[in-house]
Amino acid sequence: MLHAHSGLRWLALILIIYAIFNALTAIKQGRDFEKKDKMIGLFTLISFHTQLLIGLILFFTSAKVVFVSGFMKESMLRFFAIEHPLMMLISIALVTIGYSKSKKETSSRLKFRKILVFYTLALVVLLAGIPWPFREALGAGWF
Ligand code: HEM
């Protein structure tokens, strides 16, 4: 589970960066919103929701998630019990809202704009909330 969750971060990251880049170039070119564009947004959403499911399983099984007294003073315990889940939930919510708002818009330009704005915000929160290996105290890996 942990390996799946760790590895899937790369897929989620690549997809969201691609979706943002795609929306940005489409707005610049003034082109129509096509099925392919919907699919890019949808696959990003699916990868995020898969992370949510695996993350929830980890949350209830991981040895790093313990609500013992004083856990808030321990940076690693606080990170995995509070900070990581909270930031990831915000990021996943932003992707979900962006996808559904884009779906409801009628003009191509506005569809791309919703993806651009919400997915960019989601990416910022995602990057801040991932336990990168260079944050040594968290003891997480690259894959
Ligand atoms: C797009 C969303 C998410 C991404 C990209 C992500 C990414 C990661 C990564 C890279 C790790 C470190 C894995 C390692 O040690 O190598 C991790 C650990 C963890 N994640 Fe997530 N996560 C996401 C969402 C969530 C959510 C929503 C939850 C909880 C509700 C969650 C709970 C956890 C827990 C508990 C661990 C620690 C597991 C352990 O080391 O025992 N994650 N996550």
Side-chain angles (χ1 to χ4, degrees), residues 21-135:
F21 178 75
N22 184 60
L24 195 66
T25 50
I27 291 170
K28 277 197 175 159
Q29 292 162 358
R31 68 171 177 81
D32 284 343
F33 191 91
E34 295 164 13
K35 185 149 189 244
K36 162 192 131 223
D37 303 303
K38 189 183 170 190
M39 288 302 145
I40 297 170
L42 181 63
F43 286 134
T44 308
L45 178 78
I46 293 170
S47 70
F48 272 61
H49 283 191
T50 309
Q51 280 298 69
L52 171 64
L53 278 182
I54 307 176
L56 277 173
I57 297 170
L58 288 174
F59 188 78
F60 291 107
T61 54
S62 170
K64 289 180 183 170
V65 181
V66 281
F67 294 93
V68 289
S69 95
F71 81 97
M72 287 294 278
K73 290 194 191 108
E74 238 288 359
S75 69
M76 197 257 268
L77 297 182
R78 189 179 61 238
F79 182 83
F80 285 108
I82 310 279
E83 294 166 6
H84 177 66
L86 195 67
M87 280 195 267
M88 298 297 110
L89 283 176
I90 293 170
S91 177
I92 295 164
L94 284 166
V95 166
T96 311
I97 295 167
Y99 179 78
S100 94
K101 280 195 177 288
S102 157
K103 210 171 150 184
K104 281 181 197 139
E105 290 294 350
T106 45
S107 87
S108 286
R109 192 184 155 75
L110 287 176
K111 278 179 181 290
F112 284 124
R113 263 194 76 88
K114 292 285 148 102
I115 293 285
L116 181 64
V117 171
F118 282 90
Y119 281 32
T120 303
L121 289 173
L123 177 62
V124 172
V125 183
L126 185 77
L127 289 173
I130 287 180
W132 295 108
F134 44 80
R135 295 179 69 177

